Amino acid sequence: MLFGACNCASGSSLLSTLGPLCAGGAGFVSAVIGAMVANARTAPARPLGRPVPEVDRVAVRMVTDNVVIQFVPSEQRDGITIERRSGGNTTPDAPPRAALNGEWGLSMHAQSQRGDEVRNVLVDFGYTAEVLLNNLSILRIDPASFDALVLSHGHYDHFGGMVGFLSANKGVLKRKLPLFVGGEDCFCIRRNPGGNFGALDRTAIMEADLALMMAEGPALVADHAFTTGRIAQTSFEKPLLPTMEIVGIFDGFGCFPEKMPAAKQTGGYIPDDFDHEIATTYLVKDKGLVVLTSCSHRGVINAVKQARDASGVEKVHAVIGGFHIVPPLGDDYIRQTIAAFQEIDPDYLIPAHCTGDRFYDLARDAMGDKVIHSAVGTRFIFGA
């Protein structure tokens, strides 16, 4: 059924979980019409071809991440420059009025260069608009410069800041700015044990004049980068599945059943397989792949393998982002993941966001200075 099982009668099994999404009446009709219009304005992303685009350098800035680290100096290593914020947001003659904020979420700004050509891409939007907008302002990242947006998957800690970001930058962003998602499943409503944890606002995307690009397969991003497309689960990994999802349109939110596999159309919540999750990748000249994993619900090793398979490039220069290795995943699982990384042999691992401290500690023991801590505001420059 097109609109899903949105039965708002008292006692509905969905009412307690959808709450205000199941309001009914004129608002429901308007929202559904808006969703259908948005559906009509969605296009497949441009497939990644051969050869894969190569850039001279890419600089990845952590805009939203879990922690803020101050007073650690910048440094230069082989093939990478690490620019760290050396102090607070201070001025000579006045007290600070704002500071970089950390939160449970992730957003990364990637600026790439090929000759004189520069591209800017925002990957994910963090958990709240307040933190995203605050940190963009302090880091002096201009949203008007963005050439593309990428959303890795449909969890609030990666898109919660999106609607507020779009509202604050109305008339600032480039017209028809492409927003890449990994497929219709990204829009399905999600819940975790605490309640709703994903209801992506398709109408807000259209009202912001974005071009919604479905990237179920590897897709070119701003001529310099590519998304992996759907990440196959081929490794030993058994990643955690923290949410449930439901197929259907509920008061304008949700995923269109006709675009979803029949097996997922049960009329109720089912385990979330994150089939829509994507990673974003750059091929840096003479260095190899820089893989922005975002969250790795499909397994971080699988994400890296997918980037290699999509590009045909084996050499991995760096892996940066969330690895989603947290309790109850224990030491045996972590050591198996580290062994897989050692076989891949990246030059650098930069775990962020949903990567537990235990992974970082054990990886540092095994791989030494190849493992670098991420923090809000840190800029990692790969290449020339």
Side-chain angles (χ1 to χ4, degrees):
M1 184 170 74
L2 175 61
F3 303 133
C6 196
N7 178 1
C8 295
S10 176
S12 166
S13 62
L14 295 176
L15 184 58
S16 61
T17 55
L18 294 177
L21 296 182
C22 203
F28 171 78
V29 174
S30 297
V32 168
I33 291 172
M36 294 177 71
V37 170
N39 181 41
R41 290 167 56 189
T42 299
R46 178 181 169 190
L48 178 67
R50 290 288 190 276
V52 172
E54 184 179 69
V55 298
D56 298 322
R57 67 174 233 162
V58 62
V60 180
R61 174 89 76 177
M62 309 309 291
V63 181
T64 299
D65 200 353
N66 293 15
V67 298
V68 179
I69 300 176
Q70 302 282 20
F71 309 115
V72 178
S74 298
E75 59 178 298
Q76 177 76 49
R77 302 188 190 180
D78 184 24
I80 182 174
T81 300
I82 307 169
E83 293 182 353
R84 296 188 175 97
R85 301 282 295 188
S86 59
N89 184 38
T90 58
T91 58
D93 302 312
R97 296 300 180 190
L100 289 173
N101 295 162
E103 68 176 6
W104 178 256
L106 186 68
S107 178
M108 298 177 282
H109 169 233
Q111 184 180 73
S112 56
Q113 186 167 355
R114 182 172 58 205
D116 295 331
E117 187 179 76
V118 176
R119 294 287 186 269
N120 290 276
V121 176
L122 186 69
V123 179
D124 291 342
F125 304 86
Y127 194 42
T128 67
E130 291 80 7
V131 168
L132 178 63
L133 294 170
N134 175 77
N135 292 356
L136 285 171
S137 175
I138 291 175
L139 296 170
R140 297 183 180 180
I141 298 172
D142 183 6
S145 71
F146 293 158
D147 298 293
L149 309 171
V150 178
L151 175 58
S152 62
H153 68 294
H155 272 173
Y156 279 135
D157 52 331
H158 290 256
F159 79 81
M162 185 189 73
V163 173
F165 165 80
L166 294 177
S167 177
N169 289 285
K170 188 175 182 178
V172 174
L173 300 174
K174 295 174 181 176
R175 292 190 68 250
K176 306 302 178 187
L177 182 68
L179 168 64
F180 293 83
V181 301
E184 182 65 23
D185 190 67
C186 191
F187 288 90
C188 292
I189 293 169
R190 292 175 158 79
R191 72 178 183 187
N192 63 16
N196 185 292
F197 202 67
L200 187 57
D201 194 335
R202 198 187 314 245
T203 302
I205 292 170
M206 294 300 104
E207 289 177 348
D209 199 26
L210 303 184
L212 181 57
M213 313 300 291
M214 295 292 184
E216 296 179 1
L220 190 64
V221 177
D223 299 322
H224 282 197
F226 64 92
T227 62
T228 55
R230 288 175 169 167
I231 297 169
Q233 292 186 288
T234 59
S235 74
F236 69 91
E237 294 169 292
K238 294 187 183 346
L240 301 173
L241 302 176
T243 52
M244 306 284 282
E245 65 176 332
I246 188 170
V247 172
I249 300 293
F250 303 89
D251 207 3
F253 289 82
C255 49
F256 287 97
E258 68 270 23
K259 294 191 173 185
M260 295 293 295
K264 289 190 173 186
Q265 298 183 43
T266 65
Y269 280 94
I270 59 174
D272 192 352
D273 61 6
F274 298 95
D275 189 43
H276 66 289
E277 185 177 23
I278 54 178
T280 307
T281 308
Y282 291 83
L283 173 58
V284 180
K285 184 178 181 181
D286 298 329
K287 297 296 180 183
L289 300 174
V290 175
V291 184
L292 283 62
T293 60
S294 283
C295 212
S296 305
H297 286 287
R298 302 280 288 179
V300 64
I301 301 300
N302 286 329
V304 174
K305 285 184 172 184
Q306 194 69 43
R308 289 166 119 188
D309 290 346
S311 64
V313 176
E314 288 294 304
K315 174 58 183 173
V316 177
H317 183 43
V319 183
I320 178 170
F323 294 1
H324 216 275
I325 300 178
V326 293
L329 298 176
D331 285 8
D332 289 344
Y333 187 95
I334 291 171
R335 290 192 174 96
Q336 199 171 359
T337 306
I338 292 169
F341 269 128
Q342 289 174 315
E343 184 176 344
I344 293 169
D345 194 26
D347 297 319
Y348 297 104
L349 284 184
I350 307 172
H353 179 43
C354 55
T355 310
D357 289 343
R358 186 60 176 164
F359 175 88
Y360 179 81
D361 292 342
L362 293 180
R364 284 282 291 183
D365 285 345
M367 301 177 70
D369 285 345
K370 282 190 171 189
V371 183
I372 305 170
H373 211 302
S374 169
V376 176
T378 306
R379 189 171 184 241
F380 301 96
I381 305 172
F382 306 99

